Amino acid sequence: MDAPRTAPRTPEEALRFFQALNPSGIKLGLERVRDALAALEHPERDYPALHVAGTNGKGSTCAFVARALEAAGHRVGLYTSPHLVRVNERIRVCGEDIPDAVFGQRILEVLERYPSALSDPMTYFEFGTVVALWHFSRERVDVAVLETGLGGRLDATTAANPVVTCVTPVSFDHMEYLGHTLREIAGEKAGIFKPGVPAVLSQQEPEALDALLRRAEQLAVPVQVEGRDFGIVPGSDGTLSYRGSGWSLDGLTLALRGPYQRQNAAVALACLEALLARGVAVTPEAAREGLATARWPGRLEEVAQGPTVVVDGAHNPAGVAVLLEALRSLYAGRPLHLVFGVVADKDRGPMMRALFPLAASVHLTPLDTPRSLAPERYIAEARILCSRVVAYSSLEEALAGARADAVGRPDGVVLATGSLFLVGAVKRWVDRSLGAMR
């Protein structure tokens, strides 16, 4: 146990206390979070929640659902991770990030009621989760949408009290914590299931689906499965049609780009139907508006022009696969200049083999995290896959190199991907350099 920390006395000191927790620290388990929530008299029980796990698509699915619930007139809490630019992005009410002053005050309130966090600190994610659940209670939200951080069974968000759960596509990621087979990883994701609480499942690989369905059967969880019980299909006019357990919706449009968003939208609509059945009022009209107006930064997001600069948070092989499908749809025939950075514990080989041969140039950058893999460590691998590869010591240099190459080729596109750390850093750089880049 660490030595007791000095209790912060002001919101500013409270924010510094939180930021001093290790953002990269991982301690799987629910005991600390459950103890804290008990000391806070269980704020997570003050509102119904949707709890979303999965490897890819969680954030977009949460964004679709939250926006639709807001369109239905609800006061909605949204908790997601990681953040791209500021930690405040993780905790939102009705689409607004938690303000610094309120964030700091909530931390003070949690520490006052649970001073054990000073002598036996929780992880950054654990403490942030407790603050989010407390904040949603203080803000009297009507419903909350919660995204898991890692896995499900032992993730801090699993201490919440959902009325509907959801698992988006399961693939290989965080294998050192979740297992080395799809069955093992899906079993960890299925840890969010609660006895009798309905679950919505996206289409899955057979091995993953079998693990999810087995766990659902053990807990008597009613299940809706994409492709069997609901789905979205494209229409000839470019709009989409949804068929679910009760809703039949035609003429749907999506605010989020990329063909893979169709699946996220279908899962979101099925979640909304399940929430409706559990007493959360939402109409097909509100669902339609939610799909058409949702925002989710960092996914196929164009952040600058002249040349076009796109950021995407793909950071595992499955994420890269759907990114490539979107690139073929949106930027066909345009030379791709890749800015790529990766953390050391990711399975970079399949990502590189999928992306690098398609790129006119590759610009390797370090990331602003202790987990960053130095470009020199894998530049030799990269040069086997692309004829023009350059390693840089900073993101600014990598972006400058990629943009210079893109300007020299007609319709060149700069794509920054490989890590959400990279996406956040590019967005911060664009904000600082907005005048020069546009």
Side-chain angles (χ1 to χ4, degrees):
M1 183 178 294
D2 296 336
R5 302 188 181 196
T6 302
R9 292 173 294 181
T10 67
E12 294 77 14
E13 290 179 359
L15 287 172
R16 287 196 291 272
F17 164 85
F18 178 54
Q19 294 288 8
L21 300 174
N22 181 6
S24 299
I26 295 173
K27 258 192 255 183
L28 295 178
L30 302 177
E31 297 82 4
R32 294 172 297 276
V33 174
R34 284 177 171 159
D35 287 347
L37 292 174
L40 293 165
E41 299 183 348
H42 292 290
E44 77 282 7
R45 298 176 183 173
D46 291 341
Y47 41 82
L50 167 69
H51 192 194
V52 181
T55 306
N56 293 300
K58 300 190 300 291
S60 297
T61 300
C62 288
F64 280 133
V65 171
R67 182 68 196 95
L69 292 171
E70 290 163 11
H74 292 293
R75 189 166 176 78
V76 182
L78 175 62
Y79 180 60
T80 60
S81 63
H83 60 276
L84 296 180
V85 178
R86 301 181 72 229
V87 67
N88 310 58
E89 299 166 21
R90 297 183 180 218
I91 304 174
R92 300 177 185 175
V93 173
C94 293
E96 297 295 327
D97 299 352
I98 185 172
D100 282 345
V102 178
F103 201 173
Q105 182 59 37
R106 296 297 186 234
I107 293 170
L108 290 176
E109 292 165 0
V110 168
L111 291 175
E112 179 184 356
R113 291 160 177 79
Y114 187 64
S116 296
L118 295 168
S119 57
D120 186 17
M122 290 183 278
T123 67
Y124 185 86
F125 184 75
E126 288 174 331
F127 194 81
T129 299
V130 171
V131 171
L133 297 174
W134 171 253
H135 177 62
F136 295 156
S137 174
R138 296 302 91 189
E139 288 292 309
R140 301 184 183 278
V141 301
D142 301 314
V143 58
V145 179
L146 311 173
E147 178 191 8
T148 59
L150 192 157
R153 182 175 63 91
L154 299 175
D155 188 79
T157 57
T158 303
N161 191 35
V163 297
V164 176
T165 61
C166 169
V167 180
T168 64
V170 174
S171 61
F172 292 101
D173 204 1
H174 299 296
M175 280 100 78
E176 68 274 31
Y177 297 105
L178 304 181
H180 294 273
T181 68
L182 281 181
R183 183 174 299 278
E184 290 174 330
I185 296 169
E188 290 295 319
K189 308 291 185 183
I192 71 168
F193 294 165
K194 299 290 195 295
V197 173
V200 173
L201 308 181
S202 72
Q203 285 187 332
Q204 306 282 350
E205 293 293 332
E207 185 180 357
L209 181 61
D210 181 66
L212 293 167
L213 292 177
R214 283 177 181 273
R215 184 57 178 159
E217 184 178 9
Q218 291 169 359
L219 296 175
V221 169
V223 173
Q224 294 278 309
V225 181
E226 182 191 9
R228 185 190 76 182
D229 304 303
F230 67 90
I232 270 184
V233 294
S236 58
D237 60 353
T239 64
L240 304 173
S241 295
Y242 171 80
R243 299 294 181 267
S245 59
W247 289 348
S248 293
L249 306 178
D250 297 312
L252 298 170
T253 59
L254 306 184
L256 305 183
R257 303 192 310 153
Y260 59 89
Q261 293 294 356
R262 297 171 190 165
Q263 179 177 52
N264 297 332
V267 172
L269 288 170
C271 287
L272 289 164
E273 286 198 89
L275 286 168
L276 176 61
R278 299 282 282 182
V280 179
V282 59
T283 63
E285 292 74 24
R288 184 186 299 276
E289 182 178 342
L291 298 189
T293 59
R295 292 185 65 255
W296 192 237
R299 278 67 175 180
L300 275 176
E301 181 184 7
E302 290 191 4
V303 295
Q305 298 297 329
T308 300
V309 179
V310 180
V311 294
D312 189 88
H315 56 276
N316 54 46
V320 166
V322 296
L323 169 61
L324 289 176
E325 181 185 5
L327 292 174
R328 286 190 287 267
S329 171
L330 298 171
Y331 301 105
R334 298 178 64 177
L336 182 67
H337 302 276
L338 188 64
V339 176
F340 187 82
V342 67
V343 295
D345 56 0
K346 291 294 180 181
D347 188 10
R348 68 180 181 275
M351 293 193 286
M352 292 167 58
R353 288 192 292 273
L355 279 170
F356 288 15
L358 304 179
S361 64
V362 173
H363 305 262
L364 304 179
T365 179
L367 304 174
D368 186 17
T369 171
R371 296 165 57 202
S372 176
L373 183 65
E376 311 83 66
R377 294 272 303 277
Y378 63 105
I379 189 171
E381 299 172 53
R383 285 178 170 158
I384 295 172
L385 301 170
C386 179
S387 60
R388 174 164 168 72
V389 180
V390 186
Y392 300 86
S393 59
S394 71
L395 171 63
E396 290 78 6
E397 293 173 332
L399 278 172
R403 292 181 67 236
D405 280 357
V407 169
R409 300 279 298 274
D411 295 324
V413 176
V414 174
L415 170 66
T417 193
S419 171
L420 286 168
F421 288 109
L422 175 59
V423 170
V426 173
K427 286 175 68 67
R428 285 191 294 272
W429 188 80
V430 170
D431 287 344
R432 291 195 305 268
S433 312
L434 192 61
M437 291 194 64
R438 290 188 174 177

